[in-house]
Amino acid sequence: MSKLYSGAEIVFKCLEAQDVEYIFGYPGGAVLPIYDELKNHESIKHILARHEQGAGHAAEGYARSSGKPGVVLVTSGPGATNAVTALTDAYMDSIPLVCISGQVPTHLIGTDAFQECDTTGITRPCTKHNWLVKDVKDLSKIIHKAFEVATTGRPGPVLVDIPKDIQFQKTKYVNSIKRKKLNGKIHNKFNQGEIDQLVKLMVNSSKPILYTGGGVINSGPKASELLRELVSLTGFPITSTLQGLGSYPGDDNQFLGMLGMHGTYEANNAMHDCDLMINIGARFDDRITGKIDEFSPKSKKVHIDIDPSSINKNVKVDLPIVGDVSEVMLSVIKTLKKKHPNFASSNKEKTSKWWEKISEWRSVNSLNFINSDKTIKPQHAIQRLYELTKDKDTYITTEVGQHQMWAAQHYKFNKPNRWMTSGGLGTMGYGLPAAVGVQIAHPDKLVVDIAGEASVLMTIQEMSTAVQYNLPIKIFILNNEYMGMVRQWQELLHEKNYSESYTAALPDFVKLAEAYGCVGIRAKTPDELDEKIKEMINVNKPVIFDCLVDKEENCFPMIPSGKPHNQMLLGPNDQKENKITGKGKTLV
Amino acid sequence: MSKPKSAYSIPGKKQKSDTHVIVVWVDNEAGVLARVVGLFSGRGYNIESLAVAEVDSKLNISRITIVTTGTPQVIEQIKLQLGKLVPVHKVADFMRGDKKIIFKEMALLKIVGNNVKRKKAIKFCKKFNPVVLDKTNKSVVIQITALRREIDTIMNDLKKTGLVSVSRTGAVAMTRGAEVFK
């Protein structure tokens, strides 16, 4: 007879079989049997967060930077509800997470027991799937299936809720890692006919553009290589969504920069005027499309995505191709090479006018800003950070707001998995715990959280985690004392009624850093910025960098609400030319 | 309209809505109905009627029939989103007007009144396979099967014959002929 294992032991046997190295979590009554078992499994290290949301975001940072699923372990009730923000964030940005939550013992479920909540009910709309384990015999099968659901197809979070009595009960362990398709949910449904159609469209196009997204990152490093090959093979211009940054080198000439609400002038205009749009692993998010009715009116649209429900959801496309973007790009490259060798050079003339047009748009230099020698401009701070860290294979996380957009605009990424930001859900407080997870996955790399002072205060407690595990993360705060993006919208849309967007009584971040046992650095003027950034990089400890920036700088360019791509607001330079006075900021 | 004060775009033109019957084959497990129904409510789709029961006890399969209204784009999304749910095996979609499909709803009607009224009520129901399930000297319970509209009409007619209570199911659907939806 084979050995009997407790539910808690089975959890770890499954995690070991799945090659899990790190769990991000927080203990509590209903998961104590699992925590008790931790000591017997040396290959798995537990990272103690200071809040379950932090554990969840750390697991996201780990997953996004390593390509492996993140594992979260929380207790019942508040443990589970605190993890909901991170699960929703992972759901929106397609990050594979496996969350294991404790639950009150089976016989108490439904009695409003201490720390009971309907965890599977609460997390149903923010996970790909979830399970309440009612029989210990199902446990190993469910956990293995959970990993499979989280990592296959369009990745996402899953949750396994395990009542405390199940954690104690004993049964046999069944190693059931399967590579079987789930209920016939096949992910590569495309055929050669569709590839041929796409190639035909590419050959006939005189104003093409590639629009790539997070799907390229999620498809693995090979997808980024294939994308680079595709771009050089076609000579087409390429733009990327916020989540796709890094899949194509940010400093390459064919790259037009990020598109969307705060995207570059050339990227958005090219999207609007193109005759062929090839969407690779992006989802026509409303921050990207602007006004749907006037979105890229003259183009044929191709959408390559692993998730069939992403296709035709927001924008009707002419040629949908359902499949893993790597596989599809590989087929396209093969077909293109076979049918049209030397395509890039033969196509050069056809697209030359298009490239001229793009150069015109580029010459507007839409990311430009008026620098100052008295106050640090936030864009300047990011540019300096980029210049001083670009040779280091740096990993960047961000919070949400103006600083996030400036980081996306001014920090150039060359490799995938180096850029972790909360795009879909827009979770303030994401970046600090995400940086913890990234540093766990890459202990010797430089990890910087580009933050705002408002966002970072939402999860500042995770500095304590960073200190505990000697994680030398750098929290680079662009401190303008405002919730900058809220203030910007209030300035543009609500007659400068800055309702509750100013944070009075901010902490002294340098002293706060010291209180946590890490290093605090403050930069006040442009002169000292470089020195201080270098100091930050050279400290082998967690650092909170308080960069005091211009309080009223706005993030440009920008597509105002309800406007199409070709009606962008440019920065204050643009206003001066249009002779709009009043600091050049009253725009709308 | 003055300029929109919103960080979101204004709604575009609305397409025409149609009524569809969506049939979903699912694993009969805890919470599966909540997943399907939650998908509808969470994404703002509407449910006109719903019928669900196990149809294969060996394979543990339930069949859910949902009547919903939406633009072609919304109906397409409903099908694709349902298809992504882990316990969902297959999804079928029929237009309500489709001649190849049989739709039926069942209703139980309780009539309280004298003999004349009760007889009249049964007569009204004649077209819809009435079955008298219970009768006393004051009341009768009639079962009918018909389309939604027909039941709506008959309920109106039966008001004057002493209709006091109605219980209705959601629609169920099946293809005509020898074909089976794969």
Side-chain angles (χ1 to χ4, degrees):
Chain A
M1 207 184 127
S2 56
K3 206 187 154 199
L4 294 181
Y5 297 95
S6 73
E9 285 174 295
I10 286 173
V11 168
F12 280 96
K13 287 200 81 69
C14 291
L15 297 182
E16 282 167 351
Q18 294 285 349
D19 298 323
V20 171
E21 289 174 83
Y22 294 99
I23 307 176
F24 300 87
Y26 203 101
V31 275
L32 284 180
I34 296 176
Y35 272 89
D36 192 43
E37 186 58 29
L38 190 61
K39 63 178 187 299
N40 301 325
H41 301 271
E42 270 181 19
S43 67
I44 297 175
K45 284 179 208 70
H46 180 271
I47 306 299
L48 176 66
R50 297 299 185 265
H51 186 289
E52 288 86 351
Q53 185 193 351
H57 291 322
E60 282 186 271
Y62 177 84
R64 294 178 82 154
S65 64
S66 70
K68 290 187 266 182
V71 180
V72 185
L73 180 58
V74 297
T75 191
S76 64
T81 56
N82 279 344
V84 165
T85 302
L87 289 172
T88 314
D89 190 272
Y91 192 57
M92 292 286 269
D93 285 342
S94 311
I95 313 300
L97 286 193
V98 177
C99 179
I100 294 170
S101 57
Q103 182 56 280
V104 300
T106 318
H107 72 278
L108 287 179
I109 290 178
T111 65
D112 297 325
F114 176 64
Q115 292 196 327
E116 183 192 355
C117 74
D118 177 7
T119 304
T120 47
I122 290 170
T123 57
R124 198 174 290 131
C126 61
T127 52
K128 274 183 87 179
H129 197 64
N130 59 20
W131 295 261
L132 170 63
V133 183
K134 286 183 171 161
D135 185 340
V136 70
K137 289 194 203 83
D138 298 332
L139 183 59
S140 61
K141 201 174 74 195
I142 287 174
I143 294 179
H144 285 309
K145 192 161 179 183
F147 274 88
E148 189 181 346
V149 172
T151 52
T152 53
R154 178 177 175 180
V158 296
L159 179 137
V160 183
D161 201 25
I162 313 176
K164 193 170 180 178
D165 54 332
I166 302 283
Q167 298 170 29
F168 283 123
Q169 283 167 21
K170 293 201 165 185
T171 190
K172 279 180 254 176
Y173 170 70
V174 193
N175 189 354
S176 62
I177 301 185
K178 270 191 240 154
R179 291 282 164 259
K180 230 179 80 188
K181 293 281 174 289
L182 289 164
N183 274 353
K185 290 182 183 14
I186 315 152
H187 301 299
N188 284 309
K189 288 182 184 156
F190 67 98
N191 54 46
Q192 186 58 36
E194 291 165 340
I195 303 294
D196 290 341
Q197 273 188 60
L198 171 55
V199 170
K200 204 171 154 197
L201 287 170
M202 288 162 80
V203 173
N204 290 331
S205 165
S206 57
K207 295 191 271 183
I209 188 161
L210 296 166
Y211 146 46
T212 61
V216 182
I217 310 273
N218 270 335
S219 185
K222 192 174 151 233
S224 295
E225 283 166 33
L226 288 166
L227 178 66
R228 286 157 207 231
E229 193 181 345
L230 184 68
V231 173
S232 80
L233 212 59
T234 56
F236 288 178
I238 170 172
T239 175
S240 168
T241 66
L242 182 71
Q243 294 301 3
L245 295 175
S247 56
Y248 192 82
D251 51 5
D252 187 89
N253 195 45
Q254 272 171 268
F255 188 65
L256 308 187
M258 181 176 74
L259 79 158
M261 186 169 266
H262 293 288
T264 64
Y265 190 68
E266 54 270 33
N268 284 331
N269 273 298
M271 285 289 279
H272 188 267
D273 287 1
C274 65
D275 66 1
L276 174 65
M277 176 189 299
I278 304 171
N279 172 341
I280 306 176
R283 61 183 179 92
F284 293 110
D285 178 87
D286 68 299
R287 302 291 99 167
I288 292 300
T289 59
K291 192 178 182 187
I292 286 276
D293 297 346
E294 291 172 51
F295 174 70
S296 193
K298 287 163 278 184
S299 63
K300 286 256 183 234
K301 298 176 187 72
V302 182
H303 190 176
I304 305 167
D305 205 299
I306 201 164
D307 173 13
S309 73
S310 280
I311 290 168
N312 290 334
K313 181 168 65 182
N314 301 330
V315 170
K316 197 114 185 87
V317 296
D318 302 280
L319 175 61
I321 301 179
V322 177
D324 184 336
V325 294
S326 293
E327 310 268 335
V328 177
M329 280 193 287
L330 189 65
S331 296
V332 173
I333 289 168
K334 270 189 193 157
T335 309
L336 200 62
K337 275 184 177 165
K338 204 167 96 193
K339 289 193 177 168
H340 306 276
N342 307 320
F343 176 71
S345 52
S346 65
N347 195 47
K348 217 166 197 168
E349 204 181 297
K350 195 165 189 182
T351 54
S352 64
K353 276 207 174 127
W354 181 230
W355 274 109
E356 271 171 39
K357 191 84 200 158
I358 289 170
S359 310
E360 253 173 62
W361 289 323
R362 239 183 203 156
S363 64
V364 169
N365 201 2
S366 61
L367 296 183
N368 203 12
F369 58 97
I370 305 167
N371 214 342
S372 154
D373 51 8
K374 291 193 184 66
T375 57
I376 303 174
K377 289 284 181 177
Q379 302 95 323
H380 176 70
I382 306 251
Q383 284 181 347
R384 292 318 304 156
L385 181 70
Y386 170 63
E387 290 301 329
L388 296 168
T389 58
K390 66 178 176 185
D391 301 327
K392 280 190 170 333
D393 194 17
T394 309
Y395 288 72
I396 302 284
T397 71
T398 76
E399 312 289 336
V400 170
Q402 284 183 320
H403 67 272
Q404 176 190 29
M405 291 299 113
W406 282 317
Q409 290 173 338
H410 296 279
Y411 204 99
K412 312 267 180 247
F413 296 90
N414 285 308
K415 288 184 191 162
N417 305 98
R418 302 301 191 272
W419 165 246
M420 275 63 54
T421 191
S422 169
L425 193 64
T427 312
M428 290 171 72
Y430 169 87
L432 198 167
V436 167
V438 174
Q439 192 83 74
I440 291 281
H442 306 277
D444 303 323
K445 295 288 166 72
L446 177 63
V447 181
V448 183
D449 168 29
I450 298 178
E453 82 293 335
S455 284
V456 81
L457 282 177
M458 287 200 176
T459 49
I460 192 78
Q461 76 283 348
E462 301 302 329
M463 282 317 287
S464 183
T465 312
V467 172
Q468 178 176 345
Y469 298 97
N470 298 317
L471 306 171
I473 57 171
K474 317 296 183 214
I475 311 303
F476 190 78
I477 302 173
L478 297 178
N479 187 349
N480 59 7
E481 298 176 21
Y482 277 106
M483 293 155 215
M485 196 57 98
V486 174
R487 193 204 56 75
Q488 177 168 345
W489 281 99
Q490 288 172 333
E491 178 183 323
L492 300 179
L493 298 174
H494 296 276
E495 290 83 36
K496 297 191 175 182
N497 175 19
Y498 297 141
S499 179
E500 301 294 322
S501 54
Y502 182 78
T503 316
L506 279 169
D508 179 329
F509 283 103
V510 172
K511 283 188 183 157
L512 188 64
E514 283 157 10
Y516 275 114
C518 38
V519 177
I521 300 173
R522 180 170 291 126
K524 291 178 188 162
T525 62
D527 297 338
E528 58 178 11
L529 184 61
D530 273 30
E531 274 318 301
K532 300 270 175 146
I533 291 176
K534 282 183 203 154
E535 187 187 336
M536 171 185 90
I537 296 166
N538 291 330
V539 178
N540 192 25
K541 276 178 110 178
V543 176
I544 298 180
F545 190 104
D546 188 19
C547 186
L548 304 182
V549 297
D550 189 329
K551 291 187 185 12
E552 294 192 326
E553 189 70 17
N554 282 337
C555 184
F556 289 113
M558 164 180 188
I559 305 177
S561 55
K563 289 280 169 38
H565 274 166
N566 61 345
Q567 295 180 31
M568 298 189 76
L569 291 177
L570 295 170
N573 270 335
D574 184 43
Q575 260 82 63
K576 258 183 200 157
E577 280 157 28
N578 292 326
K579 295 206 172 75
I580 292 176
T581 50
K583 278 188 167 179
K585 279 176 182 167
T586 42
L587 294 159
V588 178
Chain B
M1 205 182 109
S2 62
K3 65 187 180 225
K5 284 195 173 183
S6 164
Y8 294 91
S9 63
I10 29 186
K13 282 179 219 115
K14 266 218 167 141
Q15 288 174 290
K16 201 176 146 272
S17 283
D18 284 312
T19 302
H20 285 243
V21 178
I22 311 268
V23 183
V24 197
W25 286 262
V26 298
D27 289 326
N28 184 17
E29 60 183 32
V32 66
L33 186 61
R35 281 180 214 285
V36 170
V37 172
L39 191 149
F40 275 76
S41 60
R43 291 188 181 265
Y45 311 142
N46 81 75
I47 294 181
E48 237 171 60
S49 83
L50 174 76
V52 51
E54 191 177 71
V55 290
D56 188 331
S57 57
K58 250 192 198 151
L59 293 173
N60 213 21
I61 302 286
S62 284
R63 178 164 168 154
I64 304 177
T65 312
I66 302 167
V67 181
T68 183
T69 330
T71 62
Q73 208 174 349
V74 164
I75 299 291
E76 194 60 29
Q77 267 296 302
I78 291 176
K79 285 192 284 180
L80 293 169
Q81 294 288 356
L82 283 170
K84 274 166 71 177
L85 296 179
V86 171
V88 168
H89 290 264
K90 54 180 178 176
V91 182
D93 158 40
F94 308 110
M95 290 276 275
R96 181 139 72 180
D98 195 334
K99 289 278 184 290
K100 286 184 196 146
I101 310 298
I102 307 162
F103 300 113
K104 276 288 175 261
E105 284 183 34
M106 192 185 87
L108 300 180
L109 310 160
K110 182 175 281 189
I111 313 286
V112 177
N114 61 33
N115 196 23
V116 181
K117 278 194 175 174
R118 297 197 312 261
K119 281 229 167 94
K120 217 174 172 183
I122 296 170
K123 214 175 138 196
F124 271 132
C125 298
K126 211 162 186 183
K127 262 173 43 193
F128 309 116
N129 317 311
V131 182
V132 175
L133 298 175
D134 172 67
K135 61 183 170 185
T136 67
N137 53 11
K138 269 193 282 185
S139 69
V140 59
V141 175
I142 312 167
Q143 167 201 304
I144 57 166
T145 48
L147 295 176
R148 186 176 188 81
R149 299 192 290 283
E150 296 168 336
I151 298 176
D152 288 345
T153 319
I154 205 151
M155 276 167 59
N156 226 359
D157 294 343
L158 291 178
K159 267 183 197 157
K160 42 189 183 275
T161 67
L163 179 69
V164 293
S165 181
V166 183
S167 176
R168 299 173 64 163
T169 66
V172 288
M174 190 162 279
T175 49
R176 290 182 190 274
E179 271 170 61
V180 179
F181 183 82
K182 290 249 164 59

